[in-house]
Amino acid sequence: MSKSKRIFVISDFKDESPKSIWIQSRMWIKGLLRLGCDVHRFSYRNILTQFNPFSGKHFRRFMPRFARRTADNVLVEQIRAYSPDIVFIAHMKYITKETVSAARDAAPGAVFIGRDDDPFPEKNPDRLSIARESDIVITTSGGRFLKTYEDAGVPCCAFIPNMCDPDIQYRYEVENKWRTNIIFTGKAEHRRLGSGTGRNADRYMLLHKLSKMPGVKMYGCFGNPSTEGIETFRAISGARIALSINITNDVSLYHSDRLINCLACGTFVLAKRVPDTDRLFQDGVHLRYFDSLEEFFDLAKWYLAHEDERIKIANAGMERTHREFNCQKIAKYMLDVVKTGAYKAPWM
């Protein structure tokens, strides 16, 4: 019988929030456990909060040194006690290069893996410094975002997409209050790119126009509340069409987890095309891609009028998502990278 891997997972598990039910870090732990690994989770931000007298918008601006030092000491003590084979930094926010360096000293034989699912790593020097302390970095994008980590000197970098959890992400039978023609979940714009400028303007203009239309529900933007927990999947299931559009759409294979969440819930998806995206899901088979605002509205009108074709594609998208992107299969790809430096998947 082979020895189970001990994997220490550092992330922001949002333990204080209903969002903790469906974040990617939770799915990673489920996938690793089902592969026979032993997993110890460490919610770094929640530990840090316990020692920081400031909260809310002042949380990071007024971070006392003793709070950071104490949280790092708690982390190091747990790593030393657990003696992990792998330290998986599933969320690189809030920790520092010094945090990782101290963790490495506590587990000198462990493989350290960093994961980044955010765009524009070149604009985040703190994240790059964490990556340089890692043996492997996995990202949910290819192209220039992945190359940023390669150029930073990380020994091994790999694209591994977002995952789904078919146990809780599927097509729900929902009440009428969730039913709508088109749904979008998320922010209308991201200020770090500059409001209404550059690529962000296309996203904002599309969402702004969509928000004025009947038969549309938007959660988390234009003054509308967000959904939480399983209600998010009910809201997606109740829509005939889900819109997926990123903060930027010109990077190979890059999609936010919005795409996988919508596909996994069995909703027909109209997604903004990104380079090489047909490797993940085929246009006209699992979803439909659009290149312009006009094309989005033309496709939405056509599929709202052709129910059979819409449902056929939605079913195919859900089936592929559950089969190829479930948490156990995606977690296995990461373990393959640890073992051999690469993995085999349909999109490679």
Side-chain angles (χ1 to χ4, degrees):
M1 183 175 179
S2 61
K3 179 177 73 72
S4 296
K5 293 284 188 184
R6 290 189 301 276
I7 303 180
F8 192 100
V9 180
I10 305 169
S11 187
D12 175 12
F13 286 98
K14 303 185 185 300
D15 287 334
E16 78 290 351
S17 168
K19 292 180 181 178
S20 63
I21 293 168
W22 58 275
I23 59 174
Q24 287 282 306
S25 296
R26 180 183 186 272
M27 298 181 195
W28 273 99
I29 286 183
K30 177 181 280 192
L32 291 168
L33 287 171
R34 288 187 173 176
L35 290 169
C37 301
D38 187 83
V39 180
H40 183 77
R41 70 194 290 277
F42 189 92
S43 192
Y44 187 85
R45 185 179 61 83
N46 291 100
I47 298 298
L48 193 60
T49 301
Q50 294 180 29
F51 302 107
N52 186 6
F54 302 101
S55 61
K57 65 181 179 180
H58 303 297
F59 177 78
R60 300 187 72 183
R61 186 181 302 174
F62 302 109
M63 177 65 65
R65 288 184 180 180
F66 77 84
R68 173 80 64 189
R69 185 170 60 250
T70 305
D72 285 357
N73 288 341
V74 173
L75 171 68
V76 166
E77 288 173 5
Q78 291 196 22
I79 288 178
R80 187 175 289 116
Y82 187 60
S83 187
D85 301 298
I86 296 171
V87 175
F88 179 31
I89 307 168
H91 192 81
M92 291 198 285
K93 196 174 181 180
Y94 301 111
I95 68 172
T96 66
K97 173 185 177 182
E98 289 71 28
T99 305
V100 182
S101 179
R104 293 204 73 125
D105 290 341
V111 175
F112 275 69
I113 307 170
R115 177 179 180 270
D116 191 7
D117 60 358
D118 282 337
F120 307 109
E122 72 279 4
K123 295 185 178 182
N124 197 322
D126 291 339
R127 196 160 300 179
L128 290 177
S129 68
I130 293 168
R132 293 187 186 98
E133 292 290 322
S134 304
D135 301 299
I136 299 169
V137 167
I138 61 174
T139 70
T140 56
S141 57
R144 70 177 191 273
F145 291 168
L146 185 64
K147 190 174 186 300
T148 297
Y149 286 109
E150 293 173 344
D151 292 345
V154 178
C156 179
C157 300
F159 163 76
I160 296 182
N162 285 304
M163 59 176 63
C164 73
D165 182 353
D167 292 336
I168 59 174
Q169 291 180 298
Y170 51 84
R171 185 183 293 128
Y172 286 75
E173 292 294 331
V174 298
E175 302 168 336
N176 285 334
K177 69 176 184 177
W178 297 114
R179 299 197 180 279
T180 190
N181 284 336
I182 302 175
I183 188 175
F184 176 79
T185 60
K187 298 178 181 179
E189 57 184 348
H190 289 259
R191 292 180 180 176
R192 64 173 174 237
L193 278 186
S195 299
T197 63
R199 303 181 195 88
N200 211 23
D202 293 337
R203 170 176 163 135
Y204 182 85
M205 286 189 292
L206 172 55
L207 296 177
H208 186 264
K209 182 176 180 179
L210 197 61
S211 71
K212 304 297 182 181
M213 297 174 59
V216 174
K217 289 187 177 180
M218 312 191 86
Y219 297 92
C221 57
F222 300 114
N224 298 305
S226 301
T227 54
E228 300 289 359
I230 299 299
E231 282 194 345
T232 300
F233 308 141
R234 291 198 174 103
I236 295 170
S237 296
R240 298 168 70 193
I241 295 175
L243 165 62
S244 177
I245 185 169
N246 304 314
I247 189 173
T248 185
N249 299 279
D250 61 353
V251 175
S252 174
L253 300 169
Y254 171 67
H255 290 284
S256 71
D257 63 353
R258 182 184 299 108
L259 176 68
I260 210 76
N261 291 336
C262 293
L263 286 165
C265 289
T267 300
F268 173 82
V269 175
L270 284 175
K272 184 72 167 68
R273 187 187 303 276
V274 305
D276 303 315
T277 189
D278 276 296
R279 296 187 192 176
L280 303 174
F281 299 97
Q282 293 180 30
D283 189 19
V285 177
H286 307 112
L287 79 179
R288 288 303 312 268
Y289 295 114
F290 65 92
D291 292 298
S292 66
L293 276 62
E294 295 76 13
E295 187 179 11
F296 168 81
F297 288 107
D298 288 344
L299 288 170
K301 181 179 179 181
W302 193 91
Y303 280 100
L304 288 174
H306 294 80
E307 192 76 358
D308 290 346
E309 188 64 21
R310 182 185 65 81
I311 293 175
K312 176 184 175 183
I313 293 175
N315 287 341
M318 180 171 61
E319 191 278 331
R320 176 171 172 80
T321 303
H322 287 181
R323 184 184 71 249
E324 300 293 348
F325 297 84
N326 63 75
C327 49
Q328 184 171 331
K329 200 159 192 175
I330 298 298
K332 178 64 165 56
Y333 293 147
M334 183 183 75
L335 296 182
D336 289 345
V337 172
V338 173
K339 185 176 181 180
T340 69
Y343 70 96
K344 294 181 180 180
W347 51 82
M348 297 301 287

mmCIF file of all heavy atoms in Angstrom, residues 137-165:
data_model
loop_
_atom_site.group_PDB
_atom_site.id
_atom_site.type_symbol
_atom_site.label_atom_id
_atom_site.label_comp_id
_atom_site.label_asym_id
_atom_site.label_seq_id
_atom_site.Cartn_x
_atom_site.Cartn_y
_atom_site.Cartn_z
ATOM 1 N N VAL A 137 4.648 26.796 -9.867
ATOM 2 C CA VAL A 137 3.514 27.723 -9.881
ATOM 3 C C VAL A 137 2.518 27.244 -10.921
ATOM 4 O O VAL A 137 2.893 26.950 -12.060
ATOM 5 C CB VAL A 137 3.942 29.173 -10.190
ATOM 6 C CG1 VAL A 137 2.716 30.036 -10.515
ATOM 7 C CG2 VAL A 137 4.673 29.777 -9.001
ATOM 8 N N ILE A 138 1.258 27.115 -10.516
ATOM 9 C CA ILE A 138 0.197 26.782 -11.460
ATOM 10 C C ILE A 138 -0.723 27.989 -11.591
ATOM 11 O O ILE A 138 -0.978 28.700 -10.621
ATOM 12 C CB ILE A 138 -0.592 25.527 -11.029
ATOM 13 C CG1 ILE A 138 -1.266 25.726 -9.681
ATOM 14 C CG2 ILE A 138 0.326 24.318 -10.986
ATOM 15 C CD1 ILE A 138 -2.174 24.571 -9.271
ATOM 16 N N THR A 139 -1.176 28.222 -12.814
ATOM 17 C CA THR A 139 -2.038 29.363 -13.076
ATOM 18 C C THR A 139 -3.248 28.913 -13.882
ATOM 19 O O THR A 139 -3.211 27.885 -14.560
ATOM 20 C CB THR A 139 -1.305 30.463 -13.871
ATOM 21 O OG1 THR A 139 -1.080 30.005 -15.216
ATOM 22 C CG2 THR A 139 0.019 30.817 -13.229
ATOM 23 N N THR A 140 -4.312 29.701 -13.821
ATOM 24 C CA THR A 140 -5.511 29.411 -14.605
ATOM 25 C C THR A 140 -5.481 30.158 -15.935
ATOM 26 O O THR A 140 -6.522 30.392 -16.536
ATOM 27 C CB THR A 140 -6.775 29.785 -13.819
ATOM 28 O OG1 THR A 140 -6.708 31.164 -13.433
ATOM 29 C CG2 THR A 140 -6.904 28.925 -12.573
ATOM 30 N N SER A 141 -4.311 30.505 -16.375
ATOM 31 C CA SER A 141 -4.144 31.179 -17.658
ATOM 32 C C SER A 141 -2.846 30.721 -18.293
ATOM 33 O O SER A 141 -1.929 30.254 -17.611
ATOM 34 C CB SER A 141 -4.126 32.708 -17.480
ATOM 35 O OG SER A 141 -3.096 33.077 -16.583
ATOM 36 N N GLY A 142 -2.780 30.855 -19.614
ATOM 37 C CA GLY A 142 -1.543 30.576 -20.324
ATOM 38 C C GLY A 142 -0.961 31.885 -20.826
ATOM 39 O O GLY A 142 -1.067 32.923 -20.181
ATOM 40 N N GLY A 143 -0.353 31.839 -21.977
ATOM 41 C CA GLY A 143 0.107 33.069 -22.616
ATOM 42 C C GLY A 143 1.033 33.891 -21.760
ATOM 43 O O GLY A 143 1.873 33.379 -21.017
ATOM 44 N N ARG A 144 0.872 35.201 -21.845
ATOM 45 C CA ARG A 144 1.829 36.095 -21.202
ATOM 46 C C ARG A 144 1.738 36.058 -19.678
ATOM 47 O O ARG A 144 2.726 36.337 -18.986
ATOM 48 C CB ARG A 144 1.650 37.525 -21.708
ATOM 49 C CG ARG A 144 0.386 38.232 -21.266
ATOM 50 C CD ARG A 144 0.386 39.677 -21.777
ATOM 51 N NE ARG A 144 -0.658 40.484 -21.197
ATOM 52 C CZ ARG A 144 -1.889 40.571 -21.660
ATOM 53 N NH1 ARG A 144 -2.231 39.876 -22.743
ATOM 54 N NH2 ARG A 144 -2.785 41.347 -21.078
ATOM 55 N N PHE A 145 0.577 35.723 -19.115
ATOM 56 C CA PHE A 145 0.485 35.634 -17.655
ATOM 57 C C PHE A 145 1.345 34.485 -17.139
ATOM 58 O O PHE A 145 2.072 34.634 -16.156
ATOM 59 C CB PHE A 145 -0.970 35.435 -17.223
ATOM 60 C CG PHE A 145 -1.849 36.643 -17.449
ATOM 61 C CD1 PHE A 145 -3.230 36.533 -17.333
ATOM 62 C CD2 PHE A 145 -1.320 37.879 -17.762
ATOM 63 C CE1 PHE A 145 -4.048 37.635 -17.532
ATOM 64 C CE2 PHE A 145 -2.130 38.994 -17.970
ATOM 65 C CZ PHE A 145 -3.505 38.862 -17.852
ATOM 66 N N LEU A 146 1.263 33.336 -17.794
ATOM 67 C CA LEU A 146 2.096 32.200 -17.398
ATOM 68 C C LEU A 146 3.573 32.511 -17.635
ATOM 69 O O LEU A 146 4.437 32.180 -16.816
ATOM 70 C CB LEU A 146 1.676 30.956 -18.174
ATOM 71 C CG LEU A 146 2.362 29.642 -17.789
ATOM 72 C CD1 LEU A 146 2.023 29.258 -16.353
ATOM 73 C CD2 LEU A 146 1.952 28.523 -18.732
ATOM 74 N N LYS A 147 3.859 33.184 -18.741
ATOM 75 C CA LYS A 147 5.244 33.513 -19.071
ATOM 76 C C LYS A 147 5.851 34.471 -18.046
ATOM 77 O O LYS A 147 7.071 34.442 -17.794
ATOM 78 C CB LYS A 147 5.330 34.121 -20.473
ATOM 79 C CG LYS A 147 6.758 34.268 -20.991
ATOM 80 C CD LYS A 147 6.767 34.737 -22.441
ATOM 81 C CE LYS A 147 8.192 34.743 -22.994
ATOM 82 N NZ LYS A 147 9.089 35.631 -22.245
ATOM 83 N N THR A 148 5.024 35.305 -17.431
ATOM 84 C CA THR A 148 5.525 36.200 -16.397
ATOM 85 C C THR A 148 6.195 35.417 -15.281
ATOM 86 O O THR A 148 7.260 35.799 -14.779
ATOM 87 C CB THR A 148 4.369 37.045 -15.826
ATOM 88 O OG1 THR A 148 3.833 37.879 -16.859
ATOM 89 C CG2 THR A 148 4.859 37.935 -14.684
ATOM 90 N N TYR A 149 5.596 34.304 -14.895
ATOM 91 C CA TYR A 149 6.183 33.469 -13.840
ATOM 92 C C TYR A 149 7.406 32.715 -14.340
ATOM 93 O O TYR A 149 8.381 32.528 -13.594
ATOM 94 C CB TYR A 149 5.130 32.509 -13.293
ATOM 95 C CG TYR A 149 4.121 33.210 -12.410
ATOM 96 C CD1 TYR A 149 2.812 33.411 -12.828
ATOM 97 C CD2 TYR A 149 4.493 33.699 -11.162
ATOM 98 C CE1 TYR A 149 1.898 34.065 -12.018
ATOM 99 C CE2 TYR A 149 3.592 34.363 -10.351
ATOM 100 C CZ TYR A 149 2.292 34.540 -10.782
ATOM 101 O OH TYR A 149 1.392 35.207 -9.984
ATOM 102 N N GLU A 150 7.369 32.278 -15.578
ATOM 103 C CA GLU A 150 8.549 31.628 -16.143
ATOM 104 C C GLU A 150 9.724 32.599 -16.168
ATOM 105 O O GLU A 150 10.848 32.247 -15.796
ATOM 106 C CB GLU A 150 8.237 31.117 -17.546
ATOM 107 C CG GLU A 150 7.222 29.981 -17.577
ATOM 108 C CD GLU A 150 6.800 29.617 -18.988
ATOM 109 O OE1 GLU A 150 7.053 30.427 -19.902
ATOM 110 O OE2 GLU A 150 6.206 28.539 -19.168
ATOM 111 N N ASP A 151 9.469 33.837 -16.606
ATOM 112 C CA ASP A 151 10.519 34.853 -16.678
ATOM 113 C C ASP A 151 11.017 35.253 -15.283
ATOM 114 O O ASP A 151 12.144 35.758 -15.142
ATOM 115 C CB ASP A 151 10.018 36.091 -17.414
ATOM 116 C CG ASP A 151 9.768 35.830 -18.892
ATOM 117 O OD1 ASP A 151 10.240 34.798 -19.401
ATOM 118 O OD2 ASP A 151 9.075 36.652 -19.536
ATOM 119 N N ALA A 152 10.174 35.048 -14.269
ATOM 120 C CA ALA A 152 10.577 35.388 -12.902
ATOM 121 C C ALA A 152 11.521 34.347 -12.312
ATOM 122 O O ALA A 152 12.057 34.551 -11.213
ATOM 123 C CB ALA A 152 9.342 35.525 -12.009
ATOM 124 N N GLY A 153 11.705 33.241 -13.032
ATOM 125 C CA GLY A 153 12.653 32.237 -12.583
ATOM 126 C C GLY A 153 12.060 31.081 -11.810
ATOM 127 O O GLY A 153 12.803 30.307 -11.180
ATOM 128 N N VAL A 154 10.737 30.929 -11.846
ATOM 129 C CA VAL A 154 10.113 29.783 -11.174
ATOM 130 C C VAL A 154 10.539 28.513 -11.910
ATOM 131 O O VAL A 154 10.410 28.432 -13.145
ATOM 132 C CB VAL A 154 8.580 29.917 -11.173
ATOM 133 C CG1 VAL A 154 7.939 28.696 -10.508
ATOM 134 C CG2 VAL A 154 8.154 31.198 -10.463
ATOM 135 N N PRO A 155 11.026 27.495 -11.210
ATOM 136 C CA PRO A 155 11.555 26.295 -11.883
ATOM 137 C C PRO A 155 10.544 25.569 -12.767
ATOM 138 O O PRO A 155 10.902 25.032 -13.814
ATOM 139 C CB PRO A 155 11.999 25.400 -10.709
ATOM 140 C CG PRO A 155 12.266 26.350 -9.594
ATOM 141 C CD PRO A 155 11.275 27.454 -9.757
ATOM 142 N N CYS A 156 9.270 25.522 -12.346
ATOM 143 C CA CYS A 156 8.257 24.792 -13.111
ATOM 144 C C CYS A 156 6.952 25.574 -13.073
ATOM 145 O O CYS A 156 6.476 25.926 -11.986
ATOM 146 C CB CYS A 156 8.047 23.392 -12.536
ATOM 147 S SG CYS A 156 6.786 22.416 -13.383
ATOM 148 N N CYS A 157 6.383 25.849 -14.243
ATOM 149 C CA CYS A 157 5.112 26.558 -14.344
ATOM 150 C C CYS A 157 4.151 25.754 -15.209
ATOM 151 O O CYS A 157 4.569 25.137 -16.197
ATOM 152 C CB CYS A 157 5.293 27.944 -14.963
ATOM 153 S SG CYS A 157 6.391 29.043 -14.037
ATOM 154 N N ALA A 158 2.876 25.758 -14.852
ATOM 155 C CA ALA A 158 1.906 24.971 -15.608
ATOM 156 C C ALA A 158 0.546 25.639 -15.584
ATOM 157 O O ALA A 158 0.139 26.204 -14.555
ATOM 158 C CB ALA A 158 1.797 23.552 -15.037
ATOM 159 N N PHE A 159 -0.153 25.560 -16.711
ATOM 160 C CA PHE A 159 -1.554 25.963 -16.775
ATOM 161 C C PHE A 159 -2.418 24.824 -16.254
ATOM 162 O O PHE A 159 -2.339 23.699 -16.744
ATOM 163 C CB PHE A 159 -1.944 26.295 -18.209
ATOM 164 C CG PHE A 159 -3.446 26.309 -18.419
ATOM 165 C CD1 PHE A 159 -4.209 27.371 -17.977
ATOM 166 C CD2 PHE A 159 -4.090 25.245 -19.065
ATOM 167 C CE1 PHE A 159 -5.586 27.386 -18.155
ATOM 168 C CE2 PHE A 159 -5.463 25.249 -19.256
ATOM 169 C CZ PHE A 159 -6.220 26.320 -18.798
ATOM 170 N N ILE A 160 -3.219 25.097 -15.245
ATOM 171 C CA ILE A 160 -4.222 24.152 -14.754
ATOM 172 C C ILE A 160 -5.511 24.946 -14.550
ATOM 173 O O ILE A 160 -5.534 25.891 -13.754
ATOM 174 C CB ILE A 160 -3.786 23.456 -13.450
ATOM 175 C CG1 ILE A 160 -2.545 22.596 -13.712
ATOM 176 C CG2 ILE A 160 -4.914 22.604 -12.888
ATOM 177 C CD1 ILE A 160 -2.058 21.813 -12.497
ATOM 178 N N PRO A 161 -6.576 24.593 -15.255
ATOM 179 C CA PRO A 161 -7.794 25.413 -15.233
ATOM 180 C C PRO A 161 -8.551 25.317 -13.914
ATOM 181 O O PRO A 161 -8.267 24.476 -13.059
ATOM 182 C CB PRO A 161 -8.625 24.827 -16.378
ATOM 183 C CG PRO A 161 -8.174 23.410 -16.476
ATOM 184 C CD PRO A 161 -6.711 23.422 -16.142
ATOM 185 N N ASN A 162 -9.533 26.208 -13.767
ATOM 186 C CA ASN A 162 -10.439 26.129 -12.628
ATOM 187 C C ASN A 162 -11.205 24.813 -12.666
ATOM 188 O O ASN A 162 -11.396 24.207 -13.725
ATOM 189 C CB ASN A 162 -11.420 27.299 -12.651
ATOM 190 C CG ASN A 162 -10.774 28.604 -12.236
ATOM 191 O OD1 ASN A 162 -10.205 28.717 -11.152
ATOM 192 N ND2 ASN A 162 -10.854 29.611 -13.096
ATOM 193 N N MET A 163 -11.656 24.386 -11.493
ATOM 194 C CA MET A 163 -12.360 23.118 -11.370
ATOM 195 C C MET A 163 -13.808 23.347 -10.958
ATOM 196 O O MET A 163 -14.198 24.439 -10.536
ATOM 197 C CB MET A 163 -11.671 22.234 -10.334
ATOM 198 C CG MET A 163 -11.601 22.848 -8.947
ATOM 199 S SD MET A 163 -10.880 21.746 -7.698
ATOM 200 C CE MET A 163 -9.211 21.531 -8.314
ATOM 201 N N CYS A 164 -14.602 22.282 -11.075
ATOM 202 C CA CYS A 164 -15.977 22.324 -10.597
ATOM 203 C C CYS A 164 -16.188 21.211 -9.577
ATOM 204 O O CYS A 164 -15.362 20.306 -9.448
ATOM 205 C CB CYS A 164 -16.974 22.185 -11.750
ATOM 206 S SG CYS A 164 -17.092 20.513 -12.444
ATOM 207 N N ASP A 165 -17.292 21.294 -8.863
ATOM 208 C CA ASP A 165 -17.671 20.269 -7.896
ATOM 209 C C ASP A 165 -19.060 19.759 -8.259
ATOM 210 O O ASP A 165 -20.070 20.358 -7.883
ATOM 211 C CB ASP A 165 -17.677 20.853 -6.482
ATOM 212 C CG ASP A 165 -18.010 19.811 -5.419
ATOM 213 O OD1 ASP A 165 -18.360 18.678 -5.800
ATOM 214 O OD2 ASP A 165 -17.933 20.135 -4.226
#
